[in-house]
Amino acid sequence: MDQSFARRYRLTKTDEFSSVFGFRRAIRGQWLMLHYLPASGDTARLGLVVGKKLLKKAVDRNRLKRIVRDLFRRERHRLPACDLIIRLANRPAELQSGALAGDLQQLLDRLCRQKPKPVVA
């Protein structure tokens, strides 16, 4: 099973991010928010938004991104074909890897239970 985080599994363009945010579907967790858009592709793709407003230190922002990418890479095979954007919704008091990973795992589980329907254009 391919567990890489190749370019085809990423959202890279501004238009891709705009279309996901424009679809206005989101699942909120304790610290993270998952925006999603059912995609016409065959696999899930990930985009990350981590601003300086909630995490001041670059070390913390990079750590959060690393946690999210790692969990996405391991769980991608069971996710529906969606474009996903993960962003920080609340400032965590202390950046704990286990708590953030658990929060993201719950969001992905909820997404899998919802089975998003494809968008008809």
Side-chain angles (χ1 to χ4, degrees), residues 4-13 16 45-46:
S4 66
F5 190 57
R7 191 166 185 86
R8 67 180 176 269
Y9 304 130
R10 303 178 199 172
L11 296 178
T12 56
K13 299 180 180 160
E16 295 169 342
R45 298 188 308 162
L46 177 69

Side-chain angles (χ1 to χ4, degrees), residues 1-119:
M1 178 176 9
D2 180 25
Q3 287 193 351
S4 66
F5 190 57
R7 191 166 185 86
R8 67 180 176 269
Y9 304 130
R10 303 178 199 172
L11 296 178
T12 56
K13 299 180 180 160
T14 304
D15 292 344
E16 295 169 342
F17 278 84
S18 298
S19 64
V20 175
F21 283 127
F23 188 61
R24 295 193 169 292
R25 295 282 188 251
I27 304 170
R28 190 180 181 105
Q30 186 175 0
W31 292 292
L32 300 173
M33 186 170 248
L34 169 69
H35 297 267
Y36 64 93
L37 170 68
S40 59
D42 58 344
T43 186
R45 298 188 308 162
L46 177 69
L48 293 166
V49 177
V50 184
K52 289 182 186 178
K53 187 175 182 178
L54 295 176
L55 285 178
K56 302 288 185 202
K57 296 179 181 177
V59 172
D60 293 335
R61 292 192 302 272
N62 291 335
R63 184 172 171 200
L64 174 65
K65 291 188 275 188
R66 194 168 44 250
I67 292 166
V68 170
R69 282 188 203 121
D70 183 54
L71 190 62
F72 173 79
R73 183 181 55 78
R74 287 186 279 135
E75 298 290 325
R76 190 188 71 243
H77 69 279
R78 72 177 186 91
L79 295 174
C82 288
D83 289 344
L84 308 172
I85 295 178
I86 305 290
R87 71 178 184 90
L88 201 56
N90 295 322
R91 181 188 321 239
E94 186 177 325
L95 197 62
Q96 298 175 351
S97 301
L100 290 170
D103 192 32
L104 180 58
Q105 185 67 53
Q106 288 176 353
L107 293 176
L108 295 177
D109 290 342
R110 286 172 56 191
L111 178 70
C112 288
R113 283 195 305 263
Q114 285 183 351
K115 297 283 186 191
K117 307 284 188 288
V119 176

